Amino acid sequence: MSIGNRVMRELGDAMRTGAVRVFDAEYNDGFNAAASICLEVLSDAIDGLVARMKSGDYLSDQEQALFSRLTELRAEMDERLRNAFEPEPAGDTLP
């Protein structure tokens, strides 16, 4: 293979690698933005109920159940979203 072909191949590989990195960064940014929006929606609903409790209002049984479930959902979503980018354990790391 001539040096010119080799340089062109290496340059092409470098450009593909760079393009993949840019795409991955854009995808990750979009994922993070969407995840933040989802958690903010739950947090806003929870914060509204907390504000009512702090002001001295009592929550109905239904609102208390809603508050409890929203809190559980936010914690579960947060954990799953954080784990979404963790790599799967490799087979070699198992005992």
Side-chain angles (χ1 to χ4, degrees), residues 2-3 7 10 16 21 24 30 36 40 57-58 60 63 67 70-71 79-80 82 88 95:
S2 74
I3 193 156
V7 168
E10 293 293 327
R16 268 190 297 283
R21 285 184 184 154
D24 286 348
S36 293
E40 284 174 17
D57 285 348
Y58 292 100
S60 68
E63 290 170 322
F67 174 76
L70 288 173
T71 303
E79 179 182 346
R80 287 187 185 191
R82 288 182 191 283
E88 293 292 322

Side-chain angles (χ1 to χ4, degrees), residues 3-69:
I3 193 156
N5 287 341
R6 186 172 162 198
V7 168
M8 291 302 289
R9 190 183 78 210
E10 293 293 327
L11 183 58
D13 289 347
M15 289 177 65
R16 268 190 297 283
T17 300
V20 167
R21 285 184 184 154
V22 168
F23 178 76
D24 286 348
E26 291 293 322
Y27 179 85
N28 290 340
D29 290 347
F31 178 89
N32 288 335
S36 293
I37 290 169
C38 291
L39 290 174
E40 284 174 17
V41 168
L42 289 174
S43 292
D44 289 348
I46 292 167
D47 292 346
L49 293 170
V50 169
R52 284 192 47 212
M53 289 187 283
K54 284 184 177 180
S55 72
D57 285 348
Y58 292 100
L59 298 180
S60 68
D61 289 344
Q62 186 178 13
E63 290 170 322
Q64 290 176 25
L66 176 64
F67 174 76
S68 177
R69 186 63 181 135

